[in-house]
Amino acid sequence: EALAIGLPVLPHTAALMLLTQGAAFLLAVTAANGVSGDYGKVQIFILGTVTLLGALNNAWVPALMSVRGEARVARMRSTMTTASLAGLAIIVVAAAGANLVTHVMAGGKESLIPVAQIMPLIGLGYVLYLNASTLLFADNVTWWLSVVTPGVLGVGVLLALWPATHGDLIGVAVASVATFFVLGCAYFLVARRRAAGGWAPKVYAACCLAAVAYVGVLLLLPRDIVTGVVTVAVVGAAMAAIATIWRVRARSAAGAPERGREQILD
């Protein structure tokens, strides 16, 4: 049983590794010397986004795998809402830091800044993929993984081939974002009926639109390091304020039932 569940994951894992890191290899084969190395300098914005969402997924997986039926639908709705907002937050923070981090890691090569700013958008598709694929594991139908992910890898190569051959790093980054979105949509189509009605599509769509619009604004900003520092400061302050408001509201919501119980006892 373990082999039946686990063996299909092997080609999936290999394909997923190439989806996250393969663009540098494609550039090394097709583009001019040095282009692949430049892309690799900022590829942390893909790997970091994937790593953070994967870490959060460790909390979402047991929550989804422990329920069935209507309970799964409700749990999926809650999880997708949380995952969509978490993905948006990660994209906002990562893209905000792209200017400053690129100046540090890439020796101030400002042409790489828009590449780094676009890369975190892969989180939009990755969030959908994580939650949809969890249902396939829960229902022991992992054979889908051996078909879907390698197939999407082929699509990704086709999308990235033209910009890669022309050394267009922004185009390669956009192709990566598009490929991950195709990955998420493909897994959604496969798994959607396993939690029908539980995907929180409005929240997910709103987060996608907000993330794309936000990155679009960042792309219009100057690429000097002063702008990078100011962007990090502004976004950091905004995120801290949002976290504080959320924490206060969460405490108020948690205390409301207790206050109601005390009033009843009185």
Side-chain angles (χ1 to χ4, degrees):
E1 182 181 9
L3 290 173
I5 296 171
L7 286 177
V9 181
L10 295 178
H12 156 76
T13 302
L16 191 61
M17 290 176 64
L18 289 173
L19 283 173
T20 55
Q21 304 179 52
F25 297 107
L26 184 62
L27 286 165
V29 172
T30 61
N33 291 336
V35 175
S36 177
D38 285 341
Y39 191 86
K41 292 175 183 177
V42 293
Q43 201 170 23
I44 189 175
F45 287 94
I46 288 179
L47 301 177
T49 301
V50 167
T51 300
L52 289 173
L53 288 173
L56 290 174
N57 194 52
N58 291 329
W60 304 329
V61 165
L64 287 175
M65 295 187 74
S66 61
V67 289
R68 289 285 191 277
E70 289 301 316
R72 173 187 277 183
V73 173
R75 185 69 57 81
M76 174 59 84
R77 187 179 301 114
S78 174
T79 299
M80 270 301 299
T81 299
T82 302
S84 299
L85 294 172
L88 175 60
I90 290 171
I91 291 168
V92 167
V93 172
N99 184 324
L100 182 59
V101 173
T102 301
H103 272 99
V104 174
M105 295 184 62
K109 195 165 187 178
E110 295 185 354
S111 62
L112 294 177
I113 291 174
V115 180
Q117 290 170 331
I118 291 169
M119 283 178 169
L121 288 174
I122 64 102
L124 299 176
Y126 199 67
V127 160
L128 190 56
Y129 149 75
L130 286 173
N131 285 279
S133 61
T134 296
L135 299 184
L136 303 181
F137 278 101
D139 293 342
N140 293 342
V141 286
T142 53
W143 64 269
W144 276 108
L145 279 74
S146 66
V147 176
V148 175
T149 310
V152 173
L153 175 62
V155 173
V157 171
L158 292 177
L159 290 175
L161 189 58
W162 191 90
T165 55
H166 291 77
D168 180 5
L169 299 188
I170 294 177
V172 173
V174 171
S176 293
V177 171
T179 301
F180 271 91
F181 192 73
V182 171
L183 181 74
C185 290
Y187 275 97
F188 168 72
L189 291 175
V190 170
R192 69 190 188 282
R193 293 181 181 176
R194 300 179 186 275
W199 295 91
K202 292 181 180 180
V203 175
Y204 177 72
C207 288
C208 288
L209 292 174
V212 172
Y214 168 78
V215 171
V217 171
L218 291 182
L219 292 173
L220 298 176
L221 298 178
R223 299 176 185 177
D224 58 278
I225 193 168
V226 174
T227 301
V229 172
V230 172
T231 301
V232 169
V234 170
V235 172
M239 295 299 289
I242 292 171
T244 301
I245 294 171
W246 174 82
R247 187 174 181 82
V248 170
R249 288 186 176 181
R251 285 182 174 179
S252 299
E258 183 63 25
R259 289 193 297 271
R261 190 177 72 87
E262 291 175 354
Q263 291 173 359
I264 292 173
L265 292 175
D266 291 341

